[in-house]
């Protein structure tokens, strides 16, 4: 790691609706920033390579891999993590469906899964099971075999569309 | 003796129902507490320098530059750690002849695989520790490398561990009946070479430990992502020279394990040793490359096998020659000979035949050590057996279901002993097969397959029957000298408000252990499950137990919970009878109330008993027992293992132009005995199937001839993703074990045991009209095109 990399940068952003000012190491990725500096341990580091999706959080309305974004790049951004999405009840129906369908086992992939599912559902309509599967394919789960996750997302899509039961 | 839990209208009928998992709500809110989430005062981080060579002598370590990195506190070599930590030797007495050299937490003078720890750098942040470790200068003198399995024992292959004499770690031959004669007189003999690839578990949460030595108390506390906290307690105590009672292992949320986190890892022991030296908390969380190079690998087998059948399809003999290479060391303390041993024990499992020979040969090589990973040996044994049976059926022109029906042990034949000397208490192969046929509409699918074939679409149906070993007794590890508990315990306590706390020695990694235990305790005492708090994973708090592995949580831990709950129910009723001045036998507990058994009329809430016992004990008769805490332990003793059985089916399409396999649907019918929570069991099966499918289609660790691991990232080691997986239909037959009141056997590994064989047989069913067959996993498009003769060279 070069000297320049160890430089610190001041950033100002909103995390879960709260203003945050911080001086961060320029090489720190967003996941480490959220976890180590803000104590938001909902987003997980797993591959730190952009593959598994366990670190997915919402940045300016889009699902982003926290391990692929440097904290300084989040300057001025609006970041939501599973903690904030829980507090505002933004994904309550999804969370309830995940519990009801047992769409999580160890739960390590779950915060990322929820953000990815939120993104799909925000597009409206009722995606087909294959569409759900395609959309969720950026998020690995080694426990569930995925079917229960697809069930949960499908259930919420149907409920939100006013058809079927939650 | 097993209790009947069949009547759904019985009081407190929670066993057998889908009830929500108590810990799921926390996890969906991001409120899990995995090891990496824990921060302690004065905590430091360790990063490891790892060998870039598969085999090299370490001739010097220069840490000068590393120590100048801001934040770096200490650097440790193998010698430094060896001063406070003894090496281990991973052998078991009952695996006769198994050998392995002493292994140190950090290599002392020789590194034996790429990724073996060579030095450790401790710093105030993980980033600084990594920066420091990049600057450690290690001098290596490369040594000859052993990588190939089949030539590992050749005379001109270098010997990896000189003191061991040769590269043979273990060999076992089992022979029953007259195999040669049976093959000589057989109507048909089919032989095939199988290969299963080297896998690893890819838990999304990497291996993690946070160890804290408090010299003032003389206690080591390890927050550890593990499946077996008590085993780890024993190991840390023994090798760090701390009394066992002064080691506390705490296991909170664990982000996936599948067998990966049931072993002793050198870097984790080194972390605890460093905590002891530095007298402060030290955290180690593996990064993903470290996961690929140092999490145990598994399933690297090559097998030559043959089967003899009569004209009517009866199997008369099987002969299996299994080879596996386990890396540089046998893994502590379970050893790396179990997988091969399981192949010997499990081949031919569902079938009633007499003449059986199987040999496993386990060799050392300069690669990452292999050890037990979900369904240990089963996917290999089932692929061999079911692959051979399918080929025999094809040779005889017989339907694959029919040949199985002719050979499976009859459902009324039990108890029986298999030709591999496995004892089966009661299995249901035929009932399971019948159920599968209905669920999948086998005949309809066959018709559809034939119809589509006319238009050049190659679909295949693959069937795989299997047995699964669960609820292990001390015959698995204990008799070999390993301090791994086959017994497990549960303490159930009633608090003043009438709520219950259950402390169990089995652990939770997402399977739903805590939900399952809460249901059992709720039913056993007579409250609703939300009145039960379950605590697992703390060696200073829970009864001593084995933890969660080999599908033992429900069968062993669940039975201990049921017995302790029933004992607590009795003690509550003793107090209630005294308070109500009636006979205990007239009282029952239902939904948190003491009731009149005959009428169901409520007599008193449990809170009232709590109030009297805890605060007004003076009002109870002197000498009346008032023990509102009960502990029971359970161990199986009639059978070494509780075998389960099942059958899977895969329906898929092979694109013969591209070699790509599209999974269309998957079925599994299995019999894990008493089902405690149907949803949790189904999800164990589904998750297991997908892990098995991963092995069949994608997963393979690649090494080059120098022992360099070539695909150490999630982008290069492929695991199943949502889009590629089919929907899965799960059905059950319930044959409870009579060994316990609960009657539960295990369900965690059945999916993984049978799925690869089902997929293999389906692919070969699709390819058979083209005269092609593949038996080397994973079944990549390239291998399929080679089998089809499209790709040559
Ligand atoms: S940790 Fe970011 S994608 Fe895996
Ligand atoms: S629930 Fe464990 S990885 Fe998805």
């Amino acid at each position: 790691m070069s000297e320049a990399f160890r430089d610190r940068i001041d950033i100002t952003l909103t995390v879960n609706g709260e203003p945050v000012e911080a001086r961060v190491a320029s090489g720190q990725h967003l996941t480490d920033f959220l976890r180590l500096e803000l104590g938001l341990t909902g987003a997980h580091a797993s591959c730190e390579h952009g593959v598994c999706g366990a670190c997915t959080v919402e940045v300016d309305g889009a699902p982003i891999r926290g391990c692929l974004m440097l904290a300084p790049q989040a300057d001025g951004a609006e970041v939501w993590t599973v903690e904030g999405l829980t507090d505002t009840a933004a994904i309550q129906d999804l969370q309830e469906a995940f519990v009801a369908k047992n769409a999580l086992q160890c739960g390590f992939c779950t915060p990322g899964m929820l953000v990815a599912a939120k993104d799909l559902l925000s597009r409206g309509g009722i995606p087909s099971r294959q569409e759900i599967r395609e959309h969720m394919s950026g998020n690995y789960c080694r426990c569930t075999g995925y079917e229960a996750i697809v069930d949960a997302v499908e259930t919420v899509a149907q409920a939100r569309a006013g058809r079927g039961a939650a | 003796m097993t209790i009947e839990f069949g009547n759904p209208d019985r009081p407190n009928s929670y066993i057998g129902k889908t009830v929500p998992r108590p810990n799921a709500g926390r996890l969906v809110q991001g409120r899990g507490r995995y090891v990496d989430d824990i921060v302690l005062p004065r905590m430091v981080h360790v990063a490891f320098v790892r060998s870039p060579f598969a085999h090299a002598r370490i001739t010097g370590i220069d840490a000068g530059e590393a120590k100048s990195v801001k934040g770096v506190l200490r650097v440790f070599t193998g010698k430094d750690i060896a001063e406070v930590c003894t090496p281990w030797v991973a052998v078991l007495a009952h695996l006769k002849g198994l050998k392995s050299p002493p292994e140190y937490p950090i290599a002392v003078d020789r590194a034996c695989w790429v990724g073996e720890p060579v030095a450790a750098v401790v710093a105030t942040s993980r980033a600084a520790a990594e920066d420091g470790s990049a600057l450690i200068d290690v001098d290596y003198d490369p040594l000859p490398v052993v990588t190939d399995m089949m030539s590992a024992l050749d005379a001109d292959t270098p010997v990896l561990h000189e003191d061991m004499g040769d590269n043979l770690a273990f060999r076992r031959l089992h022979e029953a009946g007259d195999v040669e004669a049976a093959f000589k007189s057989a109507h048909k003999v089919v032989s095939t070479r199988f290969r299963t690839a080297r896998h690893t578990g890819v838990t999304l949460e990497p291996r993690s430990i946070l160890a804290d030595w408090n010299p003032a108390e003389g206690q080591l506390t390890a927050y550890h992502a593990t499946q077996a906290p008590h085993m780890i307690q024993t190991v840390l105590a023994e090798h760090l020279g701390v009394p066992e009672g002064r080691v506390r292992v705490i296991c909170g949320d664990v982000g996936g394990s599948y067998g990966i986190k049931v072993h002793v890892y050198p870097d984790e022991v080194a972390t605890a040793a460093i905590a002891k030296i530095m007298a402060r908390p030290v955290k180690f969380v593996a990064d993903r490359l470290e996961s690929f190079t140092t999490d145990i690998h598994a399933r690297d087998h090559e097998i030559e096998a043959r089967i003899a059948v009569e004209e009517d399809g009866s199997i008369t003999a099987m002969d299996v020659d299994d080879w596996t290479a386990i890396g540089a060391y046998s893994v502590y303390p379970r050893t790396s000979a179990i997988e091969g041993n399981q192949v010997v024990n499990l081949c031919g499992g569902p079938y009633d035949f007499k003449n059986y020979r199987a040999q496993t040969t386990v060799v050392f090589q300069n690669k990452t050590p292999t050890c037990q990973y979900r369904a240990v040996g089963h996917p290999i044994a089932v692929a061999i057996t079911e692959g051979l049976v399918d080929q025999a059926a094809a040779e005889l022109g017989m339907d694959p279901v029919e040949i199985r029906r002719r050979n499976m042990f009859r459902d009324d034949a039990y108890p029986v002993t298999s030709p591999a000397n496995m004892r089966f208490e009661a299995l249901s192969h035929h009932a399971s097969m019948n159920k599968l046929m209905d669920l999948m509409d086998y005949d309809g699918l066959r018709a559809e397959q034939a119809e589509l074939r006319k238009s050049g679409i190659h679909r295949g149906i693959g069937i795989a029957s299997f047995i699964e070993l669960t609820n292990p007794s001390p015959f698995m590890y204990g008799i070999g000298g390993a301090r791994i508990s086959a017994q497990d315990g549960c303490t159930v306590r009633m608090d003043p408000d009438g709520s219950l706390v259950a402390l169990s020695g089995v652990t939770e990694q997402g399977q739903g252990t805590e939900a399952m235990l809460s249901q059992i305790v709720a039913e056993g005492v007579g409250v609703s499950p939300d009145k039960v708090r379950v605590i697992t994973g703390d060696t200073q708090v829970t009864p001593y137990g084995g933890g969660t592995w080999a599908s033992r949580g429900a069968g062993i831990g669940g039975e201990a919970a049921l017995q302790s709950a029933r004992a607590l129910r009795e003690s509550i009723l003793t107090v209630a009878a005294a308070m109500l001045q009636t006979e205990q036998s007239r009282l029952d507990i239902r939904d948190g109330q003491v009731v009149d058994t005959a009428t169901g009329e409520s007599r008193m809430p449990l809170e009232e008993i709590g109030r009297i016992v805890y605060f007004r004990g003076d009002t109870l008769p002197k000498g009346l027992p008032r023990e509102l805490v009960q502990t029971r332990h359970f161990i199986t003793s009639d059978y070494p293992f509780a075998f389960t059985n099942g059958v899977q089916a895969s329906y898929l399409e092979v694109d013969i132009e591209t070699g790509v396999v599209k999974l269309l649907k998957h079925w599994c019918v299995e019999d894990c005995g008493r089902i405690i929570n149907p949803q949790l069991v189904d999800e164990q099966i589904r998750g297991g199937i997908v892990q098995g499918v991963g092995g069949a289609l994608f997963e393979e660790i690649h090494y080059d001839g120098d022992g360099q691991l070539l695909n150490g990232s999630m982008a290069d080691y492929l695991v199943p993703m949502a889009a590629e997986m089919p929907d899965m239909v799960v059905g059950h037959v319930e044959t409870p074990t009579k060994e316990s009141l609960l009657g539960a056997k295990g369900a965690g590994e059945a999916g993984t045991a049978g799925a690869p064989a089902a997929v293999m047989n389906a692919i070969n069913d699709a390819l058979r009209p083209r005269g092609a067959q593949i038996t080397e996993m994973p079944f990549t498009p390239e291998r399929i095109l080679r089998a089809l003769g499209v790709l040559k060279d």
Side-chain angles (χ1 to χ4, degrees):
Chain A
M1 192 179 281
S2 70
E3 274 310 310
F5 234 56
R6 213 168 284 122
D7 284 348
R8 304 200 147 246
I9 293 176
D10 290 329
I11 58 172
T12 306
L13 66 163
T14 315
V15 178
N16 294 332
E18 295 172 8
V20 173
E21 283 184 15
R23 169 164 289 192
V24 297
S26 55
Q28 186 170 53
H29 60 53
L30 181 62
T31 308
D32 272 356
F33 173 67
L34 293 169
R35 293 178 55 83
L36 302 177
E37 315 299 330
L38 304 186
L40 292 166
T41 53
H44 297 135
S46 178
C47 69
E48 296 183 271
H49 203 62
V51 182
C52 74
C55 61
T56 310
V57 293
E58 204 175 90
V59 178
D60 293 332
I64 291 292
R65 292 176 183 235
C67 71
L68 290 187
M69 183 178 201
L70 294 174
Q73 294 177 292
D75 187 34
E78 183 179 334
V79 177
W80 286 90
T81 69
V82 69
E83 290 92 339
L85 297 173
T86 301
D87 290 347
T88 56
I91 52 169
Q92 194 181 333
D93 53 353
L94 255 178
Q95 289 167 314
E96 284 167 5
F98 265 60
V99 173
K101 300 287 182 191
N102 202 45
L104 68 155
Q105 288 183 26
C106 77
F108 205 78
C109 67
T110 312
M113 286 283 177
L114 289 166
V115 174
K118 175 179 186 279
D119 175 55
L120 175 66
L121 293 171
S122 70
R123 299 171 193 185
I126 303 178
S128 69
R129 288 179 74 81
Q130 195 52 37
E131 282 165 349
I132 297 171
R133 285 185 177 278
E134 300 283 349
H135 184 86
M136 303 301 287
S137 278
N139 291 71
Y140 285 13
C141 176
R142 281 295 267 175
C143 297
T144 63
Y146 299 110
E147 186 166 336
I149 295 172
V150 178
D151 292 346
V153 175
E154 187 181 39
T155 308
V156 175
Q158 285 167 349
R160 286 197 191 174
R163 297 173 244 157
Chain B
M1 206 253 310
T2 305
I3 300 180
E4 285 301 327
F5 294 98
N7 173 12
D9 297 326
R10 71 192 187 277
N12 313 308
S13 56
Y14 299 111
I15 292 174
K17 291 222 170 102
T18 290
V19 305
R21 282 167 54 199
N23 46 0
R26 191 158 56 72
L27 298 176
V28 289
Q29 294 189 12
R31 291 176 186 276
R33 195 164 180 257
Y34 305 90
V35 171
D36 198 23
D37 300 339
I38 302 171
V39 174
L40 297 179
R42 298 185 71 227
M43 183 175 88
V44 293
H45 301 259
V46 59
F48 291 92
V49 179
R50 296 179 182 278
S51 172
F53 293 100
H55 199 191
R57 197 157 296 290
I58 301 161
T59 54
I61 297 179
D62 179 0
E65 244 193 293
K67 284 183 180 157
S68 69
V69 172
K70 200 172 129 200
V72 168
L73 303 173
R74 298 269 297 257
V75 173
F76 295 92
T77 64
K79 284 196 189 69
D80 300 331
I81 300 299
E83 278 171 25
V84 299
C85 184
T86 55
W88 50 84
V89 175
V91 296
L92 288 168
H94 65 303
L95 299 177
K96 294 208 171 48
L98 170 61
K99 63 191 189 211
S100 186
E103 184 179 12
Y104 289 84
I106 296 181
V108 174
D109 50 17
R110 191 169 59 109
C112 293
W113 81 89
V114 171
E116 183 169 5
V118 169
V121 178
V122 179
T124 51
S125 70
R126 167 83 191 192
E130 282 180 20
D131 287 355
S133 55
L135 295 173
I136 301 266
D137 201 4
V138 185
D139 283 332
Y140 294 100
D141 203 353
L143 294 166
V145 167
V146 184
T147 55
D148 182 54
M149 178 194 302
M150 301 310 291
S151 61
L153 301 182
D154 291 359
D156 52 356
T157 301
V159 173
L160 203 163
H161 301 293
E162 253 168 50
D163 296 351
M164 300 286 107
D166 55 27
N167 289 327
L168 181 68
F170 177 67
R171 180 171 262 163
R172 179 186 158 206
L173 170 68
H174 171 83
E175 194 153 7
D178 190 343
V179 176
E180 285 310 324
F183 274 98
K184 253 190 219 117
S185 64
H187 170 70
K188 257 203 186 348
V189 173
V190 176
S191 51
T192 304
R193 189 169 185 84
F194 295 89
R195 226 193 121 238
T196 53
R198 208 169 233 268
H199 297 172
T200 187
V202 195
T203 60
L204 278 206
E205 178 206 31
R207 290 188 294 105
S208 318
I209 186 168
L210 167 54
D212 186 12
W213 168 252
N214 182 333
E217 285 183 323
Q219 172 153 309
L220 179 75
T221 304
Y223 303 84
H224 193 195
T226 178
Q227 299 167 234
H230 283 103
M231 182 197 87
I232 295 294
Q233 173 194 16
T234 300
V235 166
L236 292 179
E238 182 176 338
H239 293 282
L240 291 171
V242 179
E244 197 161 329
R246 290 299 173 132
V247 176
R248 179 180 189 182
V249 177
I250 299 175
C251 169
D253 289 317
V254 177
S257 52
Y258 332 116
I260 298 302
K261 295 174 182 166
V262 77
H263 309 293
V264 170
Y265 288 94
D267 46 19
E268 295 175 10
V269 178
T271 303
I274 291 168
K276 189 160 178 248
I277 296 169
M278 293 183 71
R280 61 195 290 185
V282 184
K283 184 187 274 185
F284 168 65
V285 179
D287 69 21
R288 191 50 59 180
L289 178 59
E290 288 178 302
S291 304
F292 277 106
T293 55
T294 65
D295 286 8
I296 58 108
H297 294 174
R299 314 247 207 278
D300 196 1
H301 287 241
E302 290 190 32
I303 309 103
E304 193 70 56
R306 53 185 184 140
I307 190 169
V309 288
E310 293 303 312
E311 207 168 351
D312 66 354
S314 344
I315 300 168
T316 54
M318 263 185 84
D319 187 7
V320 176
D321 184 19
D322 171 62
W323 282 67
T324 181
I326 56 165
Y329 292 95
S330 170
V331 174
Y332 193 56
R334 286 161 196 265
T335 82
S336 305
I338 294 282
E339 190 179 66
N341 200 50
Q342 294 277 70
V343 172
V344 173
N345 286 342
L346 297 171
C347 278
Y351 305 115
D352 188 357
F353 67 105
K354 298 243 148 21
N355 308 298
Y356 177 59
R357 176 166 59 206
Q359 174 167 280
T360 187
T361 302
V362 179
V363 300
F364 292 115
Q365 55 177 182
N366 293 106
K367 293 184 187 172
T368 300
T370 71
C371 203
Q372 283 76 294
Y373 163 51
R374 196 175 196 171
V376 193
H378 292 70
I380 303 157
V382 179
I384 297 167
T385 307
E386 296 302 270
L388 289 174
V389 167
D390 256 28
Q391 286 168 33
E395 292 275 320
L396 294 169
M398 191 176 274
D399 182 88
V401 173
E402 183 53 29
I403 193 171
R404 287 178 172 80
R405 282 188 165 139
R406 288 196 188 181
N407 287 288
M408 293 184 303
F409 284 108
R410 293 191 334 267
D411 285 358
D412 62 3
Y414 302 94
V416 294
T417 300
S418 79
N421 275 344
M422 296 294 107
R423 290 169 56 216
F424 305 139
E425 179 198 1
L427 301 177
S428 60
H429 288 295
H430 291 269
S432 298
M433 182 68 88
N434 293 343
K435 188 150 196 173
L436 176 74
M437 294 296 101
D438 290 348
L439 279 179
M440 69 189 288
D441 181 18
Y442 183 72
D443 296 335
L445 274 191
R446 282 281 178 217
E448 180 180 292
Q449 176 192 32
E451 194 53 40
L452 287 169
R453 228 168 236 175
K454 290 182 199 151
S455 47
I457 293 174
H458 290 73
R459 289 199 173 173
I461 300 168
I463 307 283
S465 288
F466 61 91
I467 54 170
E468 186 203 342
L469 177 159
T470 77
N471 292 3
S473 73
F475 277 83
M476 190 135 185
Y477 296 111
I479 57 161
R483 290 168 71 94
I484 296 172
S485 176
Q487 171 181 284
D488 231 294
C490 186
T491 295
V492 182
R493 164 180 105 216
M494 193 188 100
D495 283 342
D497 67 348
S499 70
L500 306 180
V501 175
L503 308 148
S504 171
V506 294
T507 52
E508 168 83 91
Q509 298 94 34
Q511 309 90 326
T513 304
E514 296 187 358
M516 171 275 288
L517 293 172
S518 75
Q519 289 173 258
I520 292 170
V521 169
E523 172 139 7
V525 175
V527 301
S528 63
D530 63 349
K531 289 281 190 300
V532 185
R533 296 284 292 174
V534 178
I535 294 175
T536 61
D538 185 337
T539 57
Q540 241 161 39
V541 171
T542 71
Y544 198 97
T548 300
W549 45 272
S551 297
R552 68 187 293 281
I556 310 282
E559 175 68 8
L562 181 62
Q563 291 189 17
S564 57
R566 287 164 64 88
L568 177 64
R569 176 183 174 277
E570 289 306 309
S571 9
I572 294 170
L573 289 178
T574 301
V575 177
M579 286 168 68
L580 295 167
Q581 312 231 322
T582 179
E583 277 169 44
Q584 194 169 326
S585 61
R586 294 170 171 236
L587 298 174
D588 192 10
I589 306 173
R590 294 177 193 166
D591 204 18
Q593 304 278 327
V594 174
V595 302
D596 185 286
T597 309
T599 65
E601 183 200 336
S602 172
R603 303 291 306 273
M604 196 182 352
L606 291 184
E607 296 91 296
E608 182 57 11
I609 294 174
R611 184 181 75 82
I612 295 297
V613 168
Y614 288 105
F615 310 116
R616 290 305 311 272
D618 58 306
T619 64
L620 295 172
K622 189 173 166 205
L624 178 80
R626 53 195 77 178
E627 293 296 338
L628 299 189
V629 185
Q630 292 292 337
T631 299
R632 293 293 182 276
H633 288 85
F634 179 65
I635 187 165
T636 52
S637 40
D638 295 344
Y639 287 84
F641 313 104
F643 276 94
T644 71
N645 68 279
V647 55
Q648 295 193 25
S650 167
Y651 188 44
L652 52 74
E653 190 170 309
V654 181
D655 183 331
I656 55 161
E657 310 282 314
T658 62
V660 169
V661 172
K662 178 159 180 47
L663 303 174
L664 300 170
K665 201 151 185 169
H666 201 102
W667 296 263
C668 177
V669 175
E670 65 83 59
D671 183 347
C672 62
R674 175 87 56 230
I675 291 175
I676 298 157
N677 183 322
Q679 182 186 51
L680 294 180
V681 170
D682 287 2
E683 288 306 308
Q684 277 305 299
I685 301 292
R686 290 198 175 95
I689 288 170
V690 166
Q691 269 181 352
V693 167
L697 295 183
F698 311 113
E699 297 184 38
E700 179 167 26
I701 297 257
H702 292 282
Y703 279 91
D704 69 10
D706 295 328
Q708 290 294 335
L709 192 150
L710 300 177
N711 55 339
S713 85
M714 279 198 193
D716 299 316
Y717 179 91
L718 305 181
V719 298
M721 295 190 302
E724 298 149 343
M725 290 302 107
D727 281 344
M728 294 161 269
V729 179
V730 182
H732 304 280
V733 173
E734 264 186 270
T735 311
T737 169
K738 292 193 178 63
E739 273 220 56
S740 65
L741 298 176
L742 185 60
K745 310 179 219 175
E749 301 172 281
T752 309
V759 169
M760 175 179 75
N761 284 349
I763 292 172
N764 286 328
D765 187 47
L767 298 183
R768 195 159 286 122
R770 317 278 298 198
Q773 167 173 303
I774 54 171
T775 51
E776 181 171 343
M777 294 186 202
F779 307 117
T780 57
E782 182 192 331
R783 287 193 178 125
I784 288 175
L785 292 180
R786 281 189 197 287
L788 283 165
V790 177
L791 275 181
K792 301 178 176 109
D793 75 31

